[in-house]
Amino acid sequence: EAQVTQNPRYLITVTGKKLTVTCSQNMNHEYMSWYRQDPGLGLRQIYYSMNVEVTDKGDVPEGYKVSRKEKRNFPLILESPSPNQTSLYFCASSWTGLIAPYEQYFGPGTRLTVT
Amino acid sequence: GQQVMQIPQYQHVQEGEDFTTYCNSSTTLSNIQWYKQRPGGHPVFLIQLVKSGEVKKQKRLTFQFGEAKKNSSLHITATQTTDVGTYFCAGNVQHSGYALNFGKGTSLLVTP
C-alpha cells in the first residue's frame, strides 16, 4: 500500500530536549516536505527536499533541521524545542514536475507538545 | 509569510445550499492545488489546475483557475453532510523554486 508514515504520532517533551520525528514514504517520490498546522494559520511549510541531499527552506524554517540521506526518509529534527513549536506536524511526499511539485501525499500527522 | 490568501475562514450552510471558497495570490502561480481535511484527519488531495482559465469538475465540485493565474475558487453545489471539513488551496509561486504555499483554509460546516 502506498503510504507516508510518521513516528511518533504523539509526543510530549520538555523545552530544550532534542527530538527527531521520522518520515518515510514507499512511493519513490523525489519531493518530500514538512508542514506545521496551527489553529487559524493553516498549513505552513517548514522545509522541503527535491531529492537526496537537496533541501530548501519553506516558510517557517527557524528552529528546525532536516536531512535527506535516503530517498525514502526525511526526518525533522528539533535541536532545542521550545513551547512555540507545539503544533501538529505533517510530512508529505510527491512527484516533481518541471516547474512545481505534484499532488502531496500526507502522512497521518505528529502531535507535538513542548512544555 | 503566507502568500496565498483564502476566504472565508468559516462557512456554515444548511444541507443542500451551495458553498464557495476563494484563493488569491499577489503573485502569479505555476499551479494551484486543492485539498480537503476532515476533522482529525490529514489533508487529502482533490485536484490540481495548471492552465490559465482552467475549469475542472468532480461531481458536485467545480474548480477554477483565474486567467491571470493569481486566483482560484472551489464551488460545491448542493452540499451534503459528507462535505464537512476544511478546504485548503496551495500554490507554487512562479519562478520561485519548489515551495508550496497553503492558504489558511476554509472550514465548512453543513447542518442537516
Side-chain angles (χ1 to χ4, degrees):
Chain A
E1 180 191 354
Q3 60 181 356
V4 178
T5 56
Q6 296 179 229
N7 282 292
R9 295 289 313 278
Y10 302 90
L11 178 60
I12 301 174
T13 189
V14 295
T15 299
K17 186 177 181 182
K18 181 179 178 180
L19 67 92
T20 299
V21 184
T22 64
C23 173
S24 184
Q25 50 96 3
N26 63 359
M27 294 168 278
N28 203 33
H29 286 160
E30 304 101 349
Y31 189 94
M32 295 188 74
S33 182
W34 278 101
Y35 301 88
R36 61 178 288 174
Q37 185 172 28
D38 303 288
L41 296 178
L43 287 155
R44 292 180 292 168
Q45 193 171 42
I46 302 171
Y47 271 97
Y48 64 94
S49 168
M50 294 290 296
N51 215 322
V52 175
E53 303 292 1
V54 181
T55 62
D56 213 342
K57 295 177 181 178
D59 210 28
V60 287
E62 296 79 18
Y64 304 94
K65 284 178 60 177
V66 293
S67 68
R68 187 94 179 272
K69 293 183 169 54
E70 303 167 286
K71 196 171 187 179
R72 63 183 293 124
N73 296 322
F74 191 45
L76 179 69
I77 303 156
L78 284 71
E79 295 265 358
S80 183
S82 62
N84 65 13
Q85 292 178 298
T86 292
S87 186
L88 178 59
Y89 291 87
F90 287 103
C91 179
S93 71
S94 73
W95 297 112
T96 306
L98 287 174
I99 55 174
Y102 287 150
E103 63 176 281
Q104 301 288 291
Y105 290 79
F106 282 83
T110 295
R111 187 164 293 281
L112 172 65
T113 301
V114 183
T115 60
Chain B
Q2 282 173 291
Q3 301 182 46
V4 177
M5 308 304 292
Q6 189 173 354
I7 57 169
Q9 190 174 359
Y10 303 99
Q11 187 83 60
H12 182 182
V13 300
Q14 293 287 323
E15 192 172 23
E17 292 181 337
D18 292 356
F19 160 76
T20 304
T21 174
Y22 301 90
C23 274
N24 290 287
S25 170
S26 57
T27 51
T28 304
L29 301 172
S30 303
N31 63 2
I32 193 91
Q33 299 172 355
W34 285 93
Y35 295 81
K36 177 183 179 181
Q37 184 178 24
R38 288 201 162 96
H42 60 272
V44 175
F45 175 81
L46 294 175
I47 210 159
Q48 173 169 284
L49 305 172
V50 178
K51 299 176 183 176
S52 169
E54 190 169 13
V55 178
K56 287 189 177 180
K57 292 190 176 185
Q58 288 179 349
K59 297 182 181 178
R60 296 178 294 103
L61 277 61
T62 302
F63 305 84
Q64 293 188 332
F65 200 11
E67 293 289 339
K69 300 182 75 173
K70 289 185 176 181
N71 57 72
S72 182
S73 64
L74 158 59
H75 179 81
I76 302 178
T77 303
T79 54
Q80 300 174 358
T81 55
T82 53
D83 295 326
V84 165
T86 300
Y87 293 85
F88 293 97
C89 61
N92 170 262
V93 175
Q94 210 169 55
H95 310 307
S96 185
Y98 280 69
L100 205 52
N101 297 290
F102 277 77
K104 293 184 179 181
T106 297
S107 293
L108 173 64
L109 180 61
V110 181
T111 50

